[in-house]
Amino acid sequence: MTIKSPQLLPHNRSTMLAPISIDPRSHRPAPEVSFIVCTRDRVAVLEACIKSIQLACRAHPAFAAELVVVDNGSSDRTAERLASIADMSDIPFTAVCDPRRGLAAARNAGLERARGRVLVFVDDDCAVHRDYLRDLQRHYATGERVIRGGRVEIGDARDLPFTIKRSPVRERLTPDVHPGGFVLGCNMTMHRDVAARIGHFDERFGAGGPLRSAEDTDYLVRAVLLGIPVEYVPDMTIFHHHGRRDRKAIEKLHRDYSLGNGGLCLKHVRAAPWLLRHFYWAARSALRELVNGPRFDHELKLSHWPIVGMNMLGAAKFAVLLVARWPEAAQVRQDQQANAEAR
């Protein structure tokens, strides 16, 4: 049965998720798994992502799943294609239109509409491995409340090896490891109760937001501060078709990640001062590069210097957002504009 909901999602800043219940539209119990995919103006790659999720669901139907796709204000044919895909989908499908700009806002919209016991965030330029649900069910069989991320492989050999994680070792996040990239937001899962405890994603972070990235890293830090384990497993595989094939694109993303991580350091400077240790290590490594020290990424020859500079800029930008009371003030302005237009 297909569930279609193209309507706008009201802005809701509550930190609690709705309880799992019977959906009155479908008269069926809530699924075990909710795949949440956020998208903006990338309908071509989105369709491949949706097909891979549908194939994984057919390969392991015993672990019932739904698909929630959040259209984050696309101006291409995304809405039209989602309506068509929903009509033909053989798994429950919910299309949500949320024009509030930013990946974090879109993730929050997905959280508010997902009904599954386990929540799975997959980026729209990723393809899910056929055995993904089998791995997911095995890991969540114990009922342990964790955030868990899986393996991320390159989807196209022509793309540069960035935003991937191929480690064969299962491990848990500790203060000795920088949380950025420990679990990638393009393949991040959690029990519904975990999301209810942590709350919504911080909309100051993430692509399309003022700090451009790190909405997923911020979520990991908040989990750790609540005593919730964060775990990486070398299966639960997805393939990332990020499409970046030149150094300029990788360097821009490298700077964006560092900007978000700088804001992250300032946000959590009191509760998680251990994040500053990683800034110190990056600064020390940058100085060593002056005498042919090791670079941040040997294969791509990325430097530590952009990390240091953008970390400082990100911290300054977070301070400005804090003083300006963003995004609360931005939401008030949007509401006032909407009320004026309605008169």
Side-chain angles (χ1 to χ4, degrees):
M1 185 171 186
T2 300
I3 302 169
K4 296 175 286 183
S5 49
Q7 70 274 19
L8 294 179
L9 185 76
H11 188 69
N12 180 359
R13 299 199 65 80
S14 168
T15 59
M16 296 302 295
L17 301 184
I20 295 177
S21 61
I22 302 296
D23 188 328
R25 296 168 297 181
S26 64
H27 304 290
R28 297 175 66 180
E32 289 292 317
V33 181
S34 292
F35 284 97
I36 301 172
V37 179
C38 304
T39 190
R40 180 182 172 89
D41 291 332
R42 296 207 290 189
V43 66
V45 295
L46 173 64
E47 290 194 49
C49 175
I50 291 173
K51 287 178 182 177
S52 74
I53 293 172
Q54 291 171 330
L55 286 172
C57 292
R58 294 184 198 121
H60 195 57
F63 207 40
E66 70 169 356
L67 175 56
V68 178
V69 180
V70 182
D71 179 3
N72 191 217
S74 296
S75 58
D76 59 7
R77 296 174 52 249
T78 297
E80 176 187 341
R81 288 300 301 142
L82 286 179
S84 176
I85 292 169
D87 283 335
M88 298 182 292
S89 179
D90 56 353
I91 64 171
F93 188 107
T94 301
V96 179
C97 178
D98 184 2
R100 293 177 297 134
R101 182 172 175 81
L103 177 57
R107 289 194 192 276
N108 289 336
L111 278 176
E112 291 165 10
R113 295 304 291 269
R115 301 178 304 131
R117 179 176 63 88
V118 178
L119 309 175
V120 180
F121 288 95
V122 176
D123 280 4
D124 60 0
D125 57 357
C126 294
V128 172
H129 191 281
R130 179 183 175 87
D131 294 331
Y132 191 95
L133 279 176
R134 193 180 307 277
D135 295 335
L136 187 76
Q137 184 178 32
R138 183 179 69 256
H139 288 302
Y140 280 92
T142 64
E144 185 181 16
R145 294 339 192 219
V146 302
I147 289 182
R148 182 175 284 120
R151 189 182 187 95
V152 179
E153 288 282 359
I154 278 288
D156 190 321
R158 295 172 294 177
D159 295 346
L160 293 174
F162 202 59
T163 60
I164 58 174
K165 181 154 185 175
R166 294 168 166 166
S167 172
V169 180
R170 182 172 184 166
E171 57 183 333
R172 292 204 166 180
L173 180 62
T174 69
D176 292 330
V177 179
H178 194 285
F182 181 81
V183 165
L184 298 183
C186 63
N187 186 10
M188 183 168 68
T189 76
M190 67 195 74
H191 195 282
R192 185 182 190 84
D193 293 347
V194 167
R197 283 190 64 193
I198 301 173
H200 282 59
F201 289 85
D202 188 333
E203 295 178 15
R204 291 169 290 196
F205 295 89
L211 291 167
R212 303 183 197 169
S213 68
E215 86 294 339
D216 48 356
T217 310
D218 173 66
Y219 215 73
L220 302 186
V221 173
R222 288 158 60 193
V224 170
L225 293 176
L226 288 171
I228 298 169
V230 176
E231 180 179 66
Y232 165 80
V233 293
D235 48 22
M236 279 174 31
T237 304
I238 65 102
F239 301 93
H240 197 181
H241 297 262
H242 62 70
R244 297 178 180 89
R245 297 171 185 173
D246 62 80
R247 183 179 177 81
K248 185 177 180 180
I250 295 298
E251 288 179 338
K252 180 184 182 304
L253 190 61
H254 182 46
R255 291 193 299 271
D256 286 351
Y257 284 167
S258 299
L259 181 79
N261 285 329
L264 189 78
C265 283
L266 186 58
K267 176 182 177 179
H268 297 289
V269 66
R270 291 185 179 179
W274 45 269
L275 289 171
L276 295 175
R277 183 192 315 166
H278 298 287
F279 174 78
Y280 164 73
W281 287 339
R284 186 178 63 181
S285 297
L287 290 172
R288 286 178 176 174
E289 283 184 27
L290 296 176
V291 288
N292 297 320
R295 288 180 169 264
F296 171 74
D297 187 297
H298 297 284
E299 188 172 359
L300 296 174
K301 294 182 170 53
L302 297 176
S303 171
H304 287 90
W305 283 105
I307 298 176
V308 175
M310 296 304 286
N311 275 182
M312 296 175 67
L313 180 60
K317 194 165 188 176
F318 182 86
V320 171
L321 294 171
L322 204 61
V323 172
R325 298 175 61 87
W326 198 98
E328 290 82 0
Q331 183 60 36
V332 169
R333 288 194 296 271
Q334 289 176 14
D335 293 342
Q336 290 174 342
Q337 182 179 355
N339 291 335
E341 292 174 351
R343 290 172 184 165

